[in-house]
Amino acid sequence: MSYPGYPAQAGGYPPQPGAYPPQAGGYPPQPGAYPPQAGGYPPQAGGYPPQAGGYPPQAGGYPPQAGGKASGQQMPNTLGRWCWFPRLWQSPSHGKSGMKIQYNTPPPPSMPGYGGGPAPNQPMPVYPQAPSPNPSMPGGGAIPVSPAINRGFRGSIKDYPGADPLRDVEVLRKAMKGFGTDEQAIIDLLGSRSNIQRVPMLAAFKTSYGKDLVKDLKSELSGNFEKLVLAMLKTPAQLDAYELKDAIKGAGTDEACLIEILSSRSNAEIREINMVYKTENKKSLEDAISGDTSGHFRRLLISLAQGNRDERETVDISVAKQDAQALYAAGENKVGTDESKFNAILCARSKPHLRAVFHEYQQMCGRDLEKSIDREMSGDLESGMVAVVKCIKNTPAYFAERLYKAMKGAGTKDKTLIRIMVTRSEVDMLDIRQEYVKTYGKSLYTDISGDTSGDYKKLLLKLCGGSD
């Protein structure tokens, strides 16, 4: 693995003769730990336990480090402060004995997890997915997990090479000009552009033609096809804010939509949703939720809407056990239910940590946490808490179930279908498709084909990306 700003390393940093001797106070070998990995710790995807999907790796990784030197250049020794992965190489001019040491610029002090061990007087870090000894469980005590696999991009829609919004809006203008509308041209264009390539079309259309693209599309299209096209021209935060407002307004509240969005988005995404919501509605999302919900369900939504969940990838199994015991004591093991304890743990703890808590809870009382919530709670709070647990436990499986329920039975919940297909197409659609066929015995593509029709179906299938 290489980082921007550093020369590519073949095979990581193998031990070299003449390298630093083992340091006292480093990491002693742990029984049952993972064997040493060539090149140091590989990137961890998803924390504990690994699940298909979740948010894909973000492009960019660590920012480039100023001052990195190309291979063969020497840099001053930084041993006075700290050491950053020495690399040894042989100079042809010095023969076999001519060894030179090259030092890469050390990273900023805020980048943990590298170097020859923890900084002096600092607590030992807990690496994600590394087994931690636990005397109460056989075999060293770690929760059994398979090694994390970096599966790369799991969306169905990717950036189109060389896309130009000015050329793209020419296609849209031509498709809408004159008598009739060339819907297939619109489908082919929007279905092959990523969100970051679609959104600039709004400004490009106005720049080129002095007209509003959304108004023109509304005048040319209709029904669910129109709704899908317009959803694809919003940024993710704009679409989420719009859907949340729509779920809150009117006679009834779409509680499932509120939970779906707030439990599946990252802190940064929720904070952006809050900003967009307030800008577009002159009212905060929290105020809107408070005015339309009540009781413990309101507290659950407001907690999720803070965008303040712990996002560390490390898992301390002893703390996970304590949380599992606290949930058991707050529900199954008492008369009545302490909903506040469930709220505090499910809304504040990190997702990898909560997956460990769910496992420990199952081990401790022989029952899934969802089933305990079903027994202890009712109404919106019950369905909300269960949805949060399902979404955190296996995000793609949660969305597969939401899609299945949107299409099964009489009528289709098109708002749910459109929202999920648009918002997950660049996140984990491939994983959702896998979970769908595994759970329901037929592909998502097949069910969409059988449940929708016309141009609406064609564009949905573009977002789906293929059959399984």
Side-chain angles (χ1 to χ4, degrees), residues 370-421:
E370 301 105 288
K371 289 188 172 62
S372 290
I373 292 170
D374 283 339
R375 288 157 54 98
E376 295 295 318
M377 301 179 195
S378 61
D380 292 338
L381 180 62
E382 175 200 338
S383 55
M385 289 276 189
V386 167
V388 171
V389 172
K390 283 182 176 179
C391 185
I392 291 171
K393 183 180 283 187
N394 187 334
T395 306
Y398 166 75
F399 281 110
E401 181 184 0
R402 293 276 293 151
L403 288 168
Y404 178 76
K405 288 182 175 178
M407 291 185 284
K408 79 167 188 174
T412 302
K413 296 175 182 171
D414 292 291
K415 274 190 68 64
T416 301
L417 183 58
I418 290 169
R419 180 178 62 252
I420 295 175
M421 294 304 295

Side-chain angles (χ1 to χ4, degrees), residues 297-316:
F297 183 62
R298 174 199 286 164
R299 294 186 198 178
L300 173 65
L301 291 173
I302 289 176
S303 293
L304 293 172
Q306 300 310 302
N308 200 32
R309 182 184 295 282
D310 181 357
E311 289 189 330
R312 288 174 294 183
E313 293 293 329
T314 56
V315 176
D316 185 328

